[in-house]
């Protein structure tokens, strides 16, 4: 395969200082105001910030963390402010930009540079063999797509990807379009994100979503935060944890890294937070090895079962177990099968935790009537993620910690509407009842066979089985694993289409022909059909609420995602198609009426969406301890422990987010809390490991991933940073290190790439990569 041009990693020159001691506070305020005024001009930026997450404003395009009841004038969040500033920027990428830069030239630029150019303003087209994108009309763009779709041998040769910012209304129309076209090939970012949570929770509790509300966090006696860095990725969660703490909740943090925000937090909302030393959030920090969580939860579970035996049944919630669960005996039998010696030897290897800490945590657990477990990518992106999360459920079931106040599962979702997109049908493995309802509502027979998830889509593209790749948002090329394989896969398509707000690498590593279609974003005023429209989104806790943009779009050529799908559908299905696509684009209420008829839980959608704060979707385990599983009960599961063995001279690498990025969108080159400035190619290594491996602090190295398929995966020119991570583990930023994640290394049961556990070795810095 011929490689697409790439940036030269040597232009990246990070500087390192000590990690900070607390998160947020004044530096966070200053930093975000700087970003806001640089991007949008101070006045436009501040006016926009005022509207974030207000009852009449737009939903923050940052994370999916819910808003509290009493919203502050601007519930302040540094990274929310950055997300808004990037979106509401006045910088534009007009057609002249594409006349100036060839696609090959753009491919040598970093993702950061591409994103910083500003908002996409006009539809542009790259023809076969052409060197530059040229402006194209919307009608011509739709015709080009329709022609390529019509030329496919089967609808399954088209792939329709979605990223998680798309509104419920646009997502519902988009999946309708794909299914009417004849395919369930609807991979989404969830496949790389919380899929493991969805799979594990559906199997055990019957609903693949979290079971707690904000109130539950405040009422919990204990919150366990495992595999999550909220100080950077869900900053508003820290305010909730702080509030819980003030009410007496204790917090256990499980993480290979001592993430600053979780350790100590200064609330920028409050004078107390801004001055003073901040609140100590974490009561007990368990510095676990990567992938050790299954062993940890199994250890706690075994200890609880044993304590229950010793204390004549007073430790477990026997009544709950008898009435509401299934599989308890089989679970206990397997859990207690190994000798103490064997069991604890495995726990020691997998977790690396001192036994006293596990016991200390157990005491806190036993002293707590109400427990919530929160998690994110640290639990979902491993080979054993599904069993790990099932074991978390076992842990909660043992003491009845599901379906009552102050207790439950809290998978903290990423993209601001990734949960809503799933709810309204963005899923490659749809349920029969959903397809029945969709088909009945729109008078067609939806395809029944399952479609490709993200990894399977890449394989199919690589193998020449996909002609058209269409993306509703996102940055497929950079977000996906095995970058070189994915880039090659993308280039084998006949047509690649991106509905986007900002320029990214997926626009410059393309199929034979390519289109970029500029979409309105969350912050933009949407006047589709000549009237002001609003959309709805669902947060991480199942609240659906409205979002109304207020910023004037940079060009009248930008269209809403709803009207893009509607326009394309009319062109593809022709004037006689009975679905009223134009009406939908003129009045989003009509789409909500249809969602209400197809998807349970949306009764009076239009009315309730207009209520301040929106409405809560039903969740049977949370609401009434009903568990819509195959057994009709909450299922205990058997999850055997298989500690990962890393060969001598190798480390386990996790790929994670810096403080200055939103997934593949890089806001800046600093990771303030971790003491990294001005660059991103750093690898954080435990000093003892580094010395053993002969890696000097501040030296440069190549990272080579080991996977038994004979392919060399190398990330060149990384600065070694001695850092207090768990022994045997290393960390580096996504998406630059996605080259190291083998496509076929995925989680069992969810097929999520194992972005948090890659076996790597280090080799001398190999010099610059070819850039042509
Ligand atoms: N500002 C900002 N906000 C974001 C995003 C962003 O990029 N920027 N992305 C959004 C999205 S899509 C998502 S999914 C979320 C991601 O939110 P996070 O999951 O917090 O994101 P990561 O940076 O991947 O961090 C993973 C955390 O898990 C820890 N970890 C890794 N492996 C393990 C393990 O095996 N066990 C344990 N116990 N811990 C482990 C890491 O040390 C790190 O603290 O954030 C969302 N919000
Ligand atoms: N190695 C590694 N890989 C990972 C991860 C990891 O931790 N490690 N994390 C995974 C996770 S959790 C996720 S969620 C995925 C993220 O995968 P994606 O969701 O595909 O990636 P993003 O970087 O969020 O997409 C950014 C692009 O979306 C477009 N965009 C932004 N807002 C809008 C909008 O409102 N409408 C439209 N149409 N377009 C918009 C912009 O053009 C922007 O360039 O990456 C995954 N990949
Ligand atoms: Mo995500």
């Amino acid at each position: 395969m011929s490689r697409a041009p790439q940036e030269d990693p040597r232009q990246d020159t990070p500087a390192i200082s000590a990690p900070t001691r607390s998160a947020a506070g004044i530096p966070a305020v200053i930093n975000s105001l700087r970003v806001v005024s640089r991007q949008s001009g101070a006045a436009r930026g501040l006016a926009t910030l005022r509207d974030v997450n207000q009852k009449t404003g737009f939903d923050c395009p940052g994370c999916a963390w819910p808003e509290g009841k009493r919203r502050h004038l601007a519930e302040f969040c540094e990274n929310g402010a950055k997300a808004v500033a990037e979106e509401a920027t006045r910088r534009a990428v007009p057609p002249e930009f594409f006349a100036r830069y060839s696609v090959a030239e753009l491919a040598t630029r970093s993702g950061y540079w591409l994103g910083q150019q500003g908002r996409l303003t006009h539809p542009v087209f790259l023809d076969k063999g052409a060197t530059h994108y040229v402006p194209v009309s919307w009608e011509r763009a739709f015709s080009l797509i329709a022609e390529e779709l019509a030329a496919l041998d089967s609808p399954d040769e088209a792939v329709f990807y979605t990223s998680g910012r798309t509104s419920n209304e646009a997502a519902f129309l988009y999946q309708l379009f794909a299914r009417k076209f004849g395919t369930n090939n609807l991979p989404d970012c969830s496949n790389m994100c919380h899929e493991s949570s969805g799979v594990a929770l559906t199997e055990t509790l019957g609903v693949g979503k979290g079971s707690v509300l904000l109130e539950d966090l405040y009422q919990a006696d204990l919150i366990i935060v495992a595999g999550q860095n909220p100080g950077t990725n869900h900053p508003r969660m820290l305010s909730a944890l702080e509030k819980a703490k003030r009410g007496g909740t204790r917090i256990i943090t499980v993480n290979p890294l001592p993430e600053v925000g979780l350790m100590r937090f200064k609330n920028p909302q409050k004078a107390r937070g801004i001055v003073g030393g901040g609140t100590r959030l974490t009561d007990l920090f368990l510095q676990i090895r990567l992938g050790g969580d299954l062993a940890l939860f199994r250890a706690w579970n075994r200890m609880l079962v044993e304590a229950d035996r010793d204390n004549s049944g007073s430790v477990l919630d026997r009544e709950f177990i008898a009435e509401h669960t299934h599989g308890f005996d089989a679970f206990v039998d397997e859990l207690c099968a190994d000798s103490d010696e064997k069991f604890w030897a495995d726990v020691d290897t997998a977790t690396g935790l001192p036994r006293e800490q596990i016991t200390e945590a157990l005491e806190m657990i036993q002293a707590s009537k109400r427990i919530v477990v929160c998690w994110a990518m640290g639990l979902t992106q491993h080979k054993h993620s599904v069993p790990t999360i099932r074991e978390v459920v076992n842990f909660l079931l043992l003491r009845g910690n599901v379906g009552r106040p102050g207790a439950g599962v809290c998978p903290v979702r990423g993209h601001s509407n990734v949960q809503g997109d799933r709810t309204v049908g963005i899923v490659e493995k749809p349920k029969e009842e959903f397809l029945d309802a969709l088909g009945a509502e729109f008078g067609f027979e939806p395809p029944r066979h399952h479609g490709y998830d993200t990894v399977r889509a890449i394989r199919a593209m690589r193998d020449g089985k996909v002609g058209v790749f269409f993306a509703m948002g996102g940055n497929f090329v950079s977000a996906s694993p095995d970058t070189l394989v994915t880039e090659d896969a993308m280039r084998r398509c006949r047509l690649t289409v991106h509905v986007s707000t900002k320029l990214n690498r997926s626009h410059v590593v393309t199929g034979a022909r390519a289109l970029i279609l500029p979409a309105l974003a969350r912050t933009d005023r949407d006047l589709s059909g000549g009237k002001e429209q609003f959309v709805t989104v669902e947060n991480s806790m199942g609240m659906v609420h409205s979002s109304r943009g207020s910023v004037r779009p940079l060009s009248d050529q930008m269209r809403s995602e709803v009207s893009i799908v509607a326009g394309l559908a009319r062109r593809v299905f022709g004037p006689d198609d009975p679905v009223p696509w134009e009406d939908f684009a003129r009045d989003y209420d009509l789409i909500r009426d249809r969602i209400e008829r197809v998807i349970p839980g949306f009764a009076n959608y239009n009315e309730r969406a207009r209520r301040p704060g929106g409405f809560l979707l039903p969740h049977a385990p949370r609401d009434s301890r009903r568990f819509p599983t195959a057994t009709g009960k909450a299922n205990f599961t058997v999850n055997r422990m298989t500690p990962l063995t890393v060969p001598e001279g190798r480390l386990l690498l996790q790929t994670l987010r810096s403080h200055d990025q939103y997934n593949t969108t890089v806001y800046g080159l600093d990771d303030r809390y971790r003491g990294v400035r001005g660059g991103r190619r750093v690898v954080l290594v435990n000093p003892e490991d580094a010395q053993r491996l002969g890696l000097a602090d501040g030296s440069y190295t190549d990272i080579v991933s080991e996977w038994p398929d004979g392919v060399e995966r190398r990330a060149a020119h990384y600065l070694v940073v001695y850092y207090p991570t768990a022994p045997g583990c290393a960390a580096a930023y996504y998406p630059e290190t996605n080259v190291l994640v083998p496509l076929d290394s995925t989680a069992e049961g969810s097929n999520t790439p194992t972005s948090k556990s890659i076996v790597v070795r280090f080799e001398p810095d190999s010099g610059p990569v070819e850039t042509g």
Side-chain angles (χ1 to χ4, degrees):
M1 71 177 127
S2 78
R3 281 188 191 176
Q6 302 175 40
E7 61 165 321
D8 177 0
R10 264 157 214 280
Q11 296 181 352
D12 192 80
T13 49
I16 309 300
S17 56
T20 53
R21 298 173 64 92
S22 71
I26 284 180
V29 178
I30 294 172
N31 194 41
S32 54
L33 290 181
R34 198 187 301 140
V35 177
V36 168
S37 58
R38 200 172 61 208
Q39 288 283 351
S40 7
R44 173 167 154 133
L46 286 177
T48 316
L49 275 186
R50 211 182 41 219
D51 275 359
V52 191
N53 290 348
Q54 296 306 302
K55 292 194 169 109
T56 52
F58 56 84
D59 179 58
C60 180
C63 72
W65 188 257
E67 292 83 37
K69 267 211 184 92
R70 235 187 66 237
R71 294 185 216 194
H72 301 275
L73 178 59
E75 196 190 3
F76 185 82
C77 159
E78 176 189 1
N79 278 347
K82 289 190 219 159
V84 168
E86 287 272 327
E87 202 174 277
T89 184
R90 270 204 294 241
R91 297 182 192 163
V93 178
E96 301 82 69
F97 174 92
F98 292 103
R100 180 160 160 216
Y101 294 103
S102 71
V103 174
E105 192 178 345
L106 292 174
T108 65
R109 303 291 182 151
S110 67
Y112 174 45
W113 187 91
L114 291 174
Q116 289 301 307
Q117 302 312 302
R119 288 287 299 272
L120 295 157
T121 56
H122 290 70
V124 288
F125 174 52
L126 179 72
D127 205 351
K128 193 169 180 174
T131 54
H132 291 68
Y133 276 100
V134 294
V136 65
S137 71
W138 279 99
E139 284 317 307
R140 173 89 182 108
F142 292 151
S143 295
L144 283 161
I145 303 168
E147 283 158 23
E148 292 283 5
L149 287 175
L152 300 176
D153 288 333
S154 142
D156 289 328
E157 290 177 12
V159 164
F160 298 95
Y161 175 74
T162 314
S163 166
R165 274 195 193 171
T166 295
S167 65
N168 284 354
E169 290 75 6
F172 181 75
L173 282 198
Y174 183 54
Q175 62 81 33
L176 173 64
F177 169 76
R179 295 197 161 106
K180 271 195 69 122
F181 178 68
T183 186
N184 284 311
N185 284 345
L186 286 156
D188 71 343
C189 65
S190 231
N191 296 142
M192 301 184 267
C193 181
H194 264 293
E195 194 71 62
S196 305
S197 309
V199 170
L201 294 177
T202 303
E203 185 184 335
T204 53
L205 301 178
V207 180
K209 301 183 184 180
S211 75
V212 303
L213 304 176
L214 272 181
E215 291 306 312
D216 294 308
L217 293 184
Y218 307 146
Q219 291 173 37
D221 299 316
L222 176 68
I223 300 174
I224 300 177
V225 183
Q228 206 200 335
N229 179 21
T232 285
N233 298 311
H234 305 90
R236 286 176 299 116
M237 179 176 169
L238 295 187
S239 315
L241 292 179
E242 188 203 30
K243 182 168 168 185
K245 242 358 267 210
R246 263 185 283 126
T249 306
R250 293 204 285 175
I251 297 175
I252 296 178
T253 292
V254 187
N255 203 307
L257 297 174
E259 302 286 25
V260 172
L262 266 178
M263 305 310 258
R264 198 169 264 286
F265 171 58
K266 293 187 185 179
N267 191 335
Q269 230 77 252
K270 302 208 170 64
R272 181 176 60 245
I274 290 192
V275 288
T279 312
R280 197 181 118 199
L281 287 182
T282 295
D283 294 281
L284 178 64
F285 171 51
L286 303 180
Q287 187 163 32
I288 198 166
R289 290 210 168 125
L290 288 168
D293 306 79
L294 172 55
L296 176 63
F297 278 92
R298 271 174 63 96
W300 284 335
N301 288 345
R302 178 150 152 162
M303 290 161 102
L304 286 171
V305 167
E306 285 168 356
D308 188 70
R309 282 185 188 147
D310 297 345
N311 294 287
S312 52
S314 62
V315 174
L316 305 185
D317 187 341
R318 292 277 171 183
E319 222 179 280
F320 174 80
I321 293 173
E323 194 180 337
H324 292 292
T325 72
H326 174 267
F328 176 72
D329 292 338
F331 159 68
V332 171
D333 286 349
E334 193 279 337
L335 187 65
C336 300
D338 283 342
S339 67
D340 269 348
E341 206 181 344
K342 160 103 177 57
F343 183 85
W344 284 102
D346 283 350
V347 172
D348 292 345
T349 316
T351 65
L353 294 171
R355 195 76 55 84
E356 315 81 71
Q357 283 192 355
I358 300 184
T359 313
E360 188 184 345
L362 187 82
E363 281 161 16
M364 290 167 73
I365 289 163
Q366 282 192 254
S368 304
K369 275 200 122 44
R370 293 170 294 250
I371 303 181
V372 172
V373 183
C374 302
W375 71 89
M377 296 306 101
L379 255 54
T380 64
Q381 297 176 334
H382 294 282
K383 184 155 191 266
H384 301 299
S385 285
V386 174
T388 301
I389 295 161
R390 287 196 309 224
E391 197 64 26
V392 170
V393 174
N394 287 339
F395 169 79
L396 291 169
L397 292 179
L398 281 178
R399 300 181 72 233
N401 275 312
V402 176
R404 64 182 168 79
V409 287
C410 184
V412 182
R413 305 297 301 248
H415 265 303
S416 52
N417 196 40
V418 62
Q419 187 158 315
D421 290 347
R422 272 289 163 94
T423 304
V424 302
I426 302 294
V427 56
E428 76 285 357
K429 297 186 202 72
K431 291 208 183 99
E432 288 296 317
E433 310 88 82
F434 169 75
L435 293 179
D436 292 343
L438 188 71
E441 177 65 28
F442 293 100
F444 77 110
E445 184 43 51
R448 298 280 162 168
H449 58 285
H450 290 170
Y452 300 134
D453 60 20
T454 295
V455 165
R456 292 194 177 90
I458 296 166
R459 288 189 193 131
M461 289 156 74
R462 174 197 66 191
D463 298 342
K465 293 181 188 153
V466 174
V468 176
F469 174 88
F470 189 106
M472 183 55 79
N475 179 2
F476 192 81
V477 162
S478 296
S480 296
D482 234 344
T483 312
L484 298 183
V485 176
T486 300
E487 292 195 348
D488 190 50
M490 201 73 157
R491 294 165 86 195
R492 282 180 196 220
C493 296
R494 282 216 305 267
L495 174 69
T496 52
V497 186
H498 284 88
V499 176
S500 307
T501 55
K502 288 274 194 110
L503 201 58
N504 64 49
R505 188 149 175 96
S506 301
H507 304 126
V508 297
V509 181
T510 67
R513 308 167 103 190
L515 282 160
I516 306 175
L517 306 178
L520 294 178
R522 210 53 83 58
T523 45
D524 295 319
R525 181 177 298 150
D526 180 354
L527 296 174
S528 303
K531 83 174 206 192
E532 190 167 339
Q533 309 280 354
F534 72 89
V535 294
T536 55
V537 292
E538 175 184 343
N539 69 29
S540 196
M541 294 181 174
M543 285 291 297
V544 177
H545 62 90
S546 66
S547 173
R548 192 188 296 268
S550 53
V551 176
R552 215 173 104 202
L554 291 180
S555 124
D556 61 5
Q557 284 294 303
M558 293 151 87
R559 289 199 184 176
S560 76
E561 293 176 344
V562 163
S563 63
I564 294 171
V565 178
L568 176 63
R570 179 56 76 205
R571 178 66 189 74
V572 168
F573 300 132
D576 298 333
D577 187 64
V579 177
W581 299 103
E582 293 82 1
D583 296 344
F584 287 156
R586 271 193 295 266
D587 184 358
Y588 299 179
D589 278 356
L590 302 178
I591 310 173
R592 287 183 282 268
D593 285 340
R594 300 299 188 108
I595 295 176
E596 173 174 343
R597 293 222 283 268
V598 173
I599 297 161
F602 284 87
N604 303 321
Y605 193 179
N606 272 308
E607 188 255 313
R608 290 196 294 163
R610 286 177 163 81
R611 288 184 197 165
F615 63 94
L616 189 61
L617 287 175
H619 185 292
R622 179 196 66 207
D623 302 337
S624 53
R625 285 195 156 175
R626 280 184 306 104
F627 299 94
T629 61
T631 59
K633 306 244 170 180
N635 291 317
F636 278 99
T637 50
V638 170
N639 305 301
R640 274 174 229 289
M641 184 150 53
T642 29
L644 256 179
T645 48
V646 180
E648 194 36 48
R650 277 60 177 167
L651 297 180
L652 214 48
L653 176 81
Q654 63 156 322
T655 58
L656 78 182
R657 292 152 174 81
S658 84
H659 193 61
D660 267 4
Q661 73 182 83
Y662 195 94
N663 297 339
T664 71
T665 301
V666 175
Y667 302 142
L669 299 177
D670 299 344
D671 192 2
R672 196 173 71 244
Y673 295 155
R674 298 193 186 110
V676 179
R677 272 163 219 277
R680 292 177 49 82
R681 287 178 193 258
V682 295
V683 56
L684 313 181
V685 191
N686 177 294
E688 279 178 29
D689 288 327
Q691 277 154 7
R692 191 166 36 83
L693 298 171
L695 297 170
D697 195 16
S699 65
Y700 280 88
T701 182
D702 280 9
I703 315 175
V704 180
S705 104
E706 295 197 343
W707 181 251
D709 62 357
V711 176
E712 188 187 85
R713 296 178 175 83
R714 179 181 295 267
H717 196 62
Y718 272 70
L719 181 71
V720 174
V721 178
Y722 282 17
Y723 201 87
T725 178
C729 306
Y733 301 131
Y734 135 76
E736 289 83 352
T737 45
N738 284 38
V739 281
L740 298 172
V741 188
L743 183 62
D744 294 328
S745 175
T746 61
E748 286 165 9
S750 65
N751 213 24
T752 294
T754 57
S755 307
K756 296 286 190 276
S757 44
I758 311 159
V759 177
V760 296
R761 64 172 192 269
F762 298 88
E763 288 188 357
D765 182 17
S766 65
V769 292
E770 351 106 51
T771 54

